[in-house]
């Protein structure tokens, strides 16, 4: 399936406090981001509308090396089941594999002829699943050397989304797939050998684009036109959609049962909705109550985000087209600052040059505008900021039953 790419002008905007933009080539069309640890990660996508592209960083996204995949136009998904073995899939059904942490990539065969692969998941280095644009699910047990079709969703995709569909497994047997078109969710209880289709409650066949399962019973699906569906019974039934934006929701992650992020937006190639809002935009949404409510954490106005990942140690990366790449160095804490506004802290003095005093807290932390915790202490009622650089910070205080925060200015 060919994809026509419209060249857009690239503008640089600053994100909200916790998200920092990382430098990338604006010719990159980033489809999927996956990190082995906070420093070592990969992005699959396309370079300048010409070749599939795999990028690798080993320094937390500061610099990237590139592998051009000349046999495919777009590399739509990448995943590492362990620290050394990784897989990348995309158009034409080709599968690329590395066994040296992404230093070299080799083709290991084709899933099926004349098909485009959008999503995958590997349980281990040998056993994995992929789904193609026609809704067919394929399974391998020999490290991608051969594939067997195990399910076919009668959908017949006619449009294209990068990374359509998302596998989520809660254990070695039970897994789900947000399968894309016609609002379908798939469920397996035997690691993909057989699948059951579950229809989401939607009247207009809205696409399901990504999902997250907290456990075998509770989870959410996000999709087209800002829709979110929830289940508490293992996918047997789903709530009516909650709509948080007119933009498409492309991917979702959670750091624990409370704090999570959704990325999305709209690309000018794929505007399927009434033009009552800007046709191009990138969005990040945050929740601190398990998805009951969502706030706009970051709103940008240049191209969409297609993927987000939890890199470990409270670090998140969000990637999108035209070189969009953002990093959150303290996703867990900063989501809490923006959401848990339980009360204001009583600080003195503010601005402060040395000692700031506040009510006794079980835990206190000073957070800079990039989301880094620059000072922290337990069971204190004061912090010494004399060694902290001048600037704006957030002081966050935790007790057994409250979380409070307040902006504070350090000025020497």
């Amino acid at each position: 399936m060919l994809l026509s790419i419209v060249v857009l002008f690239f503008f640089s905007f600053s994100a909200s406090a916790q998200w920092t933009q990382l430098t990338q080539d604006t010719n990159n069309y980033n489809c999927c981001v996956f990190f082995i640890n906070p420093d070592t990660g990969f992005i699959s996508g396309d370079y300048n509308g010409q070749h599939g592209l795999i990028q690798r960083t080993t320094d937390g996204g500061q610099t990237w090396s590139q592998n051009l995949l000349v046999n495919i136009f777009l590399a739509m998904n990448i995943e590492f089941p362990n620290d050394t073995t990784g897989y990348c899939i995309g158009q034409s059904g080709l599968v690329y594999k590395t066994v040296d942490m992404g230093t070299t990539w080799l083709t290991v065969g084709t899933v099926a002829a004349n098909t485009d692969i959008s999503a995958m998941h590997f349980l281990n280095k040998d056993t994995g699943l992929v789904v193609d644009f026609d809704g067919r699910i394929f399974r391998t047990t020999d490290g991608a050397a051969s594939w067997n079709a195990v399910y076919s969703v009668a959908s017949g995709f006619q449009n294209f989304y990068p990374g359509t569909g998302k596998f989520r497994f809660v254990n070695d047997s039970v897994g789900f797939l947000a399968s894309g078109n016609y609002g379908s969710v798939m469920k397996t209880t035997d690691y993909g050998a057989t699948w059951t289709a579950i229809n989401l409650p939607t009247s207009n066949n809205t696409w399901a684009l990504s999902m997250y399962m907290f456990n075998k019973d509770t989870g959410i699906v996000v999709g087209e036109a800002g829709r979110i569906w929830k289940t508490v019974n293992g996918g047997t039934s789903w709530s009516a959609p909650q709509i948080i934006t007119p933009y498409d929701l492309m991917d979702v992650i959670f750091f624990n049962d409370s704090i999570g992020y959704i990325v999305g937006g709209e690309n000018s190639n794929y505007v399927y909705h009434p033009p009552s809002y800007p046709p191009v935009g990138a969005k990040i949404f945050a929740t601190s109550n398990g998805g009951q409510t969502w706030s706009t954490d970051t709103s940008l106005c240049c191209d969409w985000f297609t993927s987000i990942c939890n890199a470990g140690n409270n670090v998140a990366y969000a990637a999108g087209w035209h070189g969009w790449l953002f990093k959150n160095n303290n996703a867990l804490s900063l989501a809490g600052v923006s959401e848990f506004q339980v009360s204001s802290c009583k600080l003195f003095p503010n601005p402060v040059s040395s000692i700031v005093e506040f009510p006794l807290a079980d835990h206190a932390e000073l957070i800079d505008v990039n989301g880094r915790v620059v000072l922290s202490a337990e069971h204190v009622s004061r912090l010494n900021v004399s060694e902290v650089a001048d600037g704006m910070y957030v002081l966050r205080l935790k007790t057994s039953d409250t979380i409070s925060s307040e902006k504070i200015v350090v000025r020497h």
Side-chain angles (χ1 to χ4, degrees):
M1 180 180 294
L2 295 178
L3 171 67
S4 61
I5 293 196
V6 177
V7 177
L8 301 176
F9 291 104
F10 181 83
F11 298 93
S12 179
F13 292 89
S14 61
S16 62
Q18 62 264 44
W19 293 94
T20 302
Q21 186 173 7
L22 302 181
T23 301
Q24 277 228 323
D25 189 335
T26 58
N27 290 305
N28 296 341
Y29 292 82
N30 298 327
C31 283
C32 181
V33 57
F34 185 95
F35 269 70
I36 297 173
N37 56 54
D39 294 324
T40 304
F42 301 82
I43 297 175
S44 65
D46 167 275
Y47 180 76
N48 201 30
Q50 298 175 357
H51 298 293
L53 174 66
I54 297 174
Q55 301 179 76
R56 181 177 73 161
T57 182
T58 57
D59 57 11
Q62 297 304 307
T63 60
W64 295 84
S65 61
Q66 295 187 343
N67 278 282
L68 289 177
L69 309 178
V70 296
N71 294 319
I72 64 173
F73 169 66
L74 193 62
M76 281 173 271
N77 205 286
I78 192 165
E79 182 176 293
F80 278 70
N82 59 42
D83 286 351
T84 56
T85 302
Y87 294 89
C88 180
I89 49 90
Q91 291 182 303
S92 304
L94 287 174
V95 180
Y96 287 81
K97 182 178 181 179
T98 181
V99 293
D100 55 12
M101 197 185 286
T103 301
T104 56
W105 293 86
L106 299 173
T107 56
V108 289
T110 303
V111 174
N114 301 317
T115 189
D116 298 323
I117 309 299
S118 61
M120 73 174 165
H121 173 74
F122 271 78
L123 175 66
N124 53 52
K125 66 182 182 64
D126 296 319
T127 304
L129 296 156
V130 299
V131 62
D132 72 0
F133 281 13
D134 293 322
R136 296 179 296 175
I137 303 172
F138 298 84
R139 188 170 185 254
T140 183
T141 57
D142 56 11
S146 62
W147 296 84
N148 296 312
V150 294
Y151 193 89
S152 181
V153 182
S155 61
F157 291 172
Q158 297 178 359
N159 293 311
F160 169 85
Y161 277 82
T164 295
K166 182 72 69 174
F167 289 98
R168 297 290 190 186
F169 276 78
V170 296
N171 55 42
D172 289 351
S173 300
V174 178
F176 297 82
L177 168 64
S179 58
N181 211 355
Y182 297 111
S184 295
V185 172
M186 305 293 124
K187 182 178 181 179
T188 181
T189 57
D190 52 16
Y191 192 67
T194 59
W195 292 85
T196 301
I198 306 167
N199 291 325
L200 296 169
T202 176
S203 60
N204 60 352
N205 297 328
T206 303
W207 289 43
L209 299 178
S210 184
M211 71 186 307
Y212 184 89
M213 296 300 298
F214 297 94
N215 51 55
K216 65 181 181 64
D217 296 318
T218 306
I220 70 171
V221 167
V222 301
E224 187 183 10
R227 285 168 167 80
I228 301 174
W229 298 267
K230 301 175 184 178
T231 185
V232 293
N233 56 15
T236 301
S237 62
W238 294 82
S239 66
Q242 173 190 9
I243 301 175
I244 65 171
T245 178
Y247 291 84
D248 294 340
L249 305 178
M250 299 295 292
D251 202 6
V252 55
I253 61 166
F254 275 79
F255 282 79
N256 54 34
D257 288 346
S258 299
I259 295 173
Y261 295 89
I262 295 173
V263 297
E266 199 77 71
N267 176 274
S268 60
N269 298 58
Y270 307 105
V271 178
Y272 297 127
H273 316 305
S276 59
Y277 58 95
V280 181
K283 301 283 185 178
I284 301 179
F285 300 90
T287 183
S288 62
N289 53 22
Q292 296 180 45
T293 58
W294 295 86
S295 64
T296 303
D297 190 56
T298 297
S299 181
L300 305 166
C301 46
C302 195
D303 236 314
W304 61 2
F305 288 115
T306 55
S307 179
I308 187 169
C309 76
N310 180 349
N313 291 351
N314 300 336
V315 176
Y317 292 85
W321 283 23
H322 290 281
W324 281 107
L325 182 62
F326 282 76
K327 181 179 181 180
N328 189 328
N329 285 304
N330 205 337
L332 188 60
S333 294
L334 260 292
V337 168
S338 63
E339 295 282 317
F340 287 112
Q341 298 294 335
V342 178
S343 62
S344 296
C345 310
K346 295 180 180 179
L347 310 179
F348 182 80
N350 189 9
V352 59
S353 60
S354 57
I355 304 295
V356 58
E357 298 185 353
F358 43 82
L360 181 65
D362 295 330
H363 180 79
E365 55 190 15
L366 191 68
I367 305 164
D368 69 11
V369 295
N370 293 316
R372 293 184 292 265
V373 177
V374 297
L375 281 179
S376 65
E378 307 292 328
H379 307 295
V380 293
S381 59
R382 56 169 54 191
L383 285 177
N384 187 343
V385 300
S386 58
E387 300 300 321
V388 175
D390 286 2
M392 180 74 73
Y393 297 85
V394 170
L395 178 63
R396 191 161 97 126
L397 307 178
K398 295 181 183 180
T399 67
S400 59
D401 56 0
T402 64
I403 300 175
S404 57
S405 63
E406 187 70 73
K407 292 181 181 178
I408 182 172
V409 176
V410 176
R411 185 183 301 155
H412 299 300

